[in-house]
Amino acid sequence: MNMQSIALFEMAITCSIVLIWIIQQLSQKVFPLTARVVLLILLTNLFFWPIGLSLELPLAAYVRGAFGDLSIVTTLLLWCSLLPNHKTTPLVFKASIALIALGFYPFALGIGMIDPYAWGYGSIIFLIAVIFFALICSLASWNQGVCIIAIAILAWSAHWHESTNLWDYVLDPILAIWAIAAVTTAIFRQRKQKARSGYLFRQG
C-alpha cells in the first residue's frame, strides 16, 4: 500500500468515525462497542472504495481534497472517541491548543517578521517544546494526550504524511477551530452559571 492509499484509508476511517459520532448525537444514545465496530468497517469501506456511487475517486479522496490531511493529533483524538471508557479531552489542553493556534496562524500567514511554520522543519527547540507539552499532559494525568503526541512525533520522524513539517502533525485548522469553539463555549457556560447563581442568591 503506497502513501496515497494509506492517506485515503486514514481519511476513510476518520470520516466514518465522524459520521458515527453524528449518528450517535442525533439518536442521543451511545451505541455498543460491537455496533460501532461494525458501522466503522461498513462506512470505512464505503468511503475507501467507489462502490456503486458512479464516482471516479473514493469519497475519502474528495474529503481529503477539500480539507487536506488532518494532523495526527486531530486524527487520533477522533479515533479515540470510539474507544470504550473514553474520557473527555481536558479543557486545559483545548485552551493550550487555542492559544497556540491564535499565536501561530497570524504569523504563519505572513503577519509580522516571524515565521513559526519554519520551526517545524527539524528545529530541535520546537521538538523539545512539543515534548514539553506532552510532559504537561502527563502532569495533568491525561495519559491519552501523552500517547497521542508521542505517536505524532513518531509519525513525523517516519514521514507518515507527505509533509515533513512537525506542525502539520500536531496542529491543523480543524483542531484549532474545535479548540477555540470549545473554550469559548466553556467561558459562556461558566458566565451563564455565575449569572444564574447570582440571580438565585440575590437578596430580596
Side-chain angles (χ1 to χ4, degrees):
M1 186 178 289
N2 58 32
M3 185 176 292
Q4 292 291 334
S5 298
I6 292 174
L8 285 179
F9 187 66
E10 180 182 308
M11 183 59 73
I13 295 174
T14 301
C15 292
S16 302
I17 290 174
V18 171
L19 192 55
I20 292 171
W21 179 85
I22 292 173
I23 294 172
Q24 288 187 145
Q25 295 302 311
L26 293 176
S27 63
Q28 297 183 346
K29 64 179 181 180
V30 179
F31 298 155
L33 180 60
T34 304
R36 282 179 279 172
V37 171
V38 171
L39 271 175
L40 178 62
I41 294 173
L42 292 175
L43 291 173
T44 299
N45 277 279
L46 177 64
F47 277 101
F48 186 71
W49 305 104
I51 303 173
L53 298 175
S54 300
L55 298 175
E56 295 181 1
L57 298 173
L59 282 173
Y62 293 98
V63 177
R64 185 177 178 232
F67 295 98
D69 289 323
L70 299 179
S71 67
I72 297 297
V73 171
T74 301
T75 300
L76 292 180
L77 283 173
L78 288 170
W79 289 13
C80 288
S81 65
L82 283 187
L83 296 176
N85 301 322
H86 171 66
K87 295 182 179 179
T88 305
T89 307
L91 183 60
V92 175
F93 176 82
K94 298 174 183 177
S96 300
I97 293 295
L99 289 173
I100 292 171
L102 290 173
F104 168 75
Y105 282 107
F107 287 105
L109 293 173
I111 299 176
M113 301 297 292
I114 302 174
D115 182 15
Y117 187 74
W119 302 344
Y121 290 109
S123 171
I124 298 299
I125 296 176
F126 179 57
L127 177 59
I128 293 174
V130 175
I131 295 173
F132 181 74
F133 188 76
L135 178 61
I136 294 176
C137 292
S138 176
L139 295 175
S141 300
W142 191 44
N143 296 327
Q144 179 180 300
V146 178
C147 294
I148 287 174
I149 295 174
I151 293 173
I153 294 174
L154 290 174
W156 167 69
S157 63
H159 302 297
W160 181 260
H161 287 170
E162 294 178 357
S163 174
T164 58
N165 192 300
L166 181 55
W167 277 112
D168 294 325
Y169 290 81
V170 298
L171 183 66
D172 61 69
I174 301 296
L175 181 64
I177 293 171
W178 167 76
I180 293 171
V183 172
T184 303
T185 302
I187 292 173
F188 278 107
R189 185 183 296 116
Q190 186 177 20
R191 288 185 176 180
K192 187 176 181 180
Q193 290 176 350
K194 285 184 178 180
R196 183 180 301 174
S197 176
Y199 175 79
L200 290 175
F201 293 99
R202 187 174 58 186
Q203 294 182 355

